[in-house]
Amino acid sequence: MNRTMKLIIFIPLGLLIAAALVTSVYTVDESEQAVIETFGQVEEGIIPSGLHFKLPWPIQQVRKFSKETFSLQFGYEEVDGEVTKEYPEDTKMITGDENIVLADMVVQWKITDPKRYLYATNDPKQILYNATSASLRGIIGTSTIDESLTSGKAEIEAEVRDLLVKLIEDYDIGVSILAVKLQDVDLPNKEVRRAFTKVTDARETMNTKINEAKKYSNKQREEAEGEKDAIISRAEGDKAARVEKARGDVATFNALYSEYTKQPDITRERLVLETLDQVLAEAEIYIMNDEGGTLKYLPIRPAETKPAAAPEGEKNNER
């Protein structure tokens, strides 16, 4: 009877002690972070990796979380690199110029505060999904369809990331945003895509024509500028030549005037003769000084050229 009582007492006690020892020892891997809960309340601090001890369950228990980077796939689900499910209603959005687009994205995030992640909200992943949706819709709603589909994607990504980071900081759910990647922005159906493609092609053609017109305008302007510079250069050359000629004429006149003041009669006759020579260059000029009586003059003509001598045979014939 005593032995039976001892077995009834010591066996459960031994099992309880063994269970306490087993639940008092735990390890945290390098890729994990852990916190201790004492009667359901999380203690301050994050347990580092390694072997650790705690009070046995149910006094204390360990909650472990991965340090890895998680991916939130907004608008679709992907498994092993393949899209397995899409959520078009989540990705359908209205742009700032009142067009409908489909936009999905990936958000890289990780747990930075396990305590806040555990108790700040019942479902932190859903809050992160809703915040992503609100951020993306808010930025798309202020962008044009051209920006969303073409050159504005990088700017949209940056603005979505900034807005999402701010929202998560305000919610304080123990996670941090590492990166935001806009996966795809597309139009809702083929007819709209075809119409948008035509508009885009027309815009590209317009831009090409505008660039060609600007190029032609610049070429014509450059040629006109060159011609203007040439005309100005020639005019300045003519101006300098005329100024120099005028200075030469002034110097000549001053020299003549100086001689005239010395011998006015001789200089006057000389000027008359030079003027006659210039005005009547092809005429025969006779200079006479008649004091009465018989008129005398001396014609001065160039000597006439004698004809060339004829050959000997022609001379005999002439005789």
Side-chain angles (χ1 to χ4, degrees):
M1 192 68 180
N2 291 334
R3 183 178 296 177
T4 304
M5 291 297 295
K6 288 180 181 179
L7 289 175
I8 293 174
I9 294 173
F10 286 111
I11 289 176
L13 183 60
L15 292 175
L16 184 61
I17 293 172
L21 291 175
V22 171
T23 58
S24 297
V25 179
Y26 67 96
T27 58
V28 178
D29 192 75
E30 289 287 344
S31 62
E32 296 176 330
Q33 54 186 337
V35 291
I36 296 294
E37 289 183 345
T38 303
F39 294 115
Q41 182 177 359
V42 179
E43 296 185 357
E44 295 295 333
I46 298 176
I47 307 301
S49 59
L51 180 65
H52 301 278
F53 297 91
K54 65 176 183 62
L55 295 176
W57 182 89
I59 300 174
Q60 289 184 331
Q61 62 176 341
V62 180
R63 301 292 297 270
K64 297 179 182 179
F65 302 92
S66 177
K67 292 181 180 179
E68 68 175 317
T69 299
F70 299 95
S71 294
L72 171 65
Q73 299 162 351
F74 176 79
Y76 68 101
E77 289 183 5
E78 186 178 79
V79 178
D80 296 331
E82 295 184 1
V83 177
T84 59
K85 192 173 183 181
E86 296 182 352
Y87 302 94
E89 293 303 319
D90 289 352
T91 59
K92 188 180 295 185
M93 304 174 190
I94 299 179
T95 62
D97 50 0
E98 298 182 353
N99 289 285
I100 297 177
V101 294
L102 304 178
D104 50 30
M105 68 187 314
V106 174
V107 178
Q108 304 290 332
W109 62 282
K110 67 188 303 182
I111 301 171
T112 54
D113 189 343
K115 181 178 179 180
R116 299 299 303 170
Y117 186 78
L118 279 172
Y119 293 108
T121 177
N122 291 331
D123 194 348
K125 292 183 180 180
Q126 185 62 44
I127 289 180
L128 179 59
Y129 190 90
N130 295 339
T132 301
S133 176
S135 301
L136 183 57
R137 290 180 185 278
I139 301 303
I140 292 290
T142 58
S143 305
T144 64
I145 189 170
D146 290 338
E147 294 171 342
S148 302
L149 294 174
T150 57
S151 60
K153 289 185 177 181
E155 186 175 354
I156 289 175
E157 281 184 3
E159 292 179 356
V160 170
R161 183 184 184 281
D162 293 341
L163 182 56
L164 182 57
V165 167
K166 186 178 183 303
L167 286 176
I168 295 302
E169 288 177 352
D170 293 340
Y171 292 152
D172 193 16
I173 57 175
V175 302
S176 61
I177 305 300
L178 302 180
V180 170
K181 177 65 176 177
L182 193 62
Q183 292 293 96
D184 191 22
V185 179
D186 203 354
L187 296 168
N189 53 58
K190 294 181 179 180
E191 289 76 12
V192 177
R193 294 192 196 99
R194 191 178 300 111
F196 183 79
T197 301
K198 290 181 179 180
V199 172
T200 303
D201 292 343
R203 184 181 295 109
E204 291 298 326
T205 302
M206 178 190 70
N207 292 333
T208 301
K209 296 297 183 182
I210 290 174
N211 291 333
E212 290 177 354
K214 288 181 178 179
K215 182 179 179 180
Y216 177 77
S217 175
N218 293 334
K219 180 181 178 182
Q220 294 298 110
R221 186 180 295 107
E222 290 175 358
E223 291 179 355
E225 291 289 338
E227 186 175 354
K228 180 193 74 173
D229 294 339
I231 293 173
I232 292 174
S233 179
R234 289 197 299 269
E236 290 177 350
D238 292 343
K239 171 186 173 183
R242 292 189 180 189
V243 169
E244 293 301 323
K245 184 177 181 303
R247 289 175 179 172
D249 293 342
V250 169
T252 302
F253 178 81
N254 290 335
L256 290 173
Y257 181 74
S258 177
E259 295 297 325
Y260 177 80
T261 56
K262 295 176 182 178
Q263 298 177 349
D265 295 334
I266 296 176
T267 304
R268 188 183 300 111
E269 291 180 2
R270 177 186 171 190
L271 290 175
V272 170
L273 293 175
E274 289 179 353
T275 302
L276 289 174
D277 183 58
Q278 293 176 1
V279 173
L280 305 173
E282 301 297 329
E284 292 183 358
I285 302 174
Y286 300 92
I287 301 174
M288 295 175 291
N289 186 7
D290 186 13
E291 296 177 352
T294 305
L295 180 63
K296 299 177 181 179
Y297 72 92
L298 177 64
I300 301 176
R301 295 191 181 100
E304 294 182 358
T305 304
K306 294 181 179 181
E312 187 66 25
E314 292 180 1
K315 291 181 180 179
N316 294 330
N317 292 333
E318 288 176 358
R319 292 175 183 174

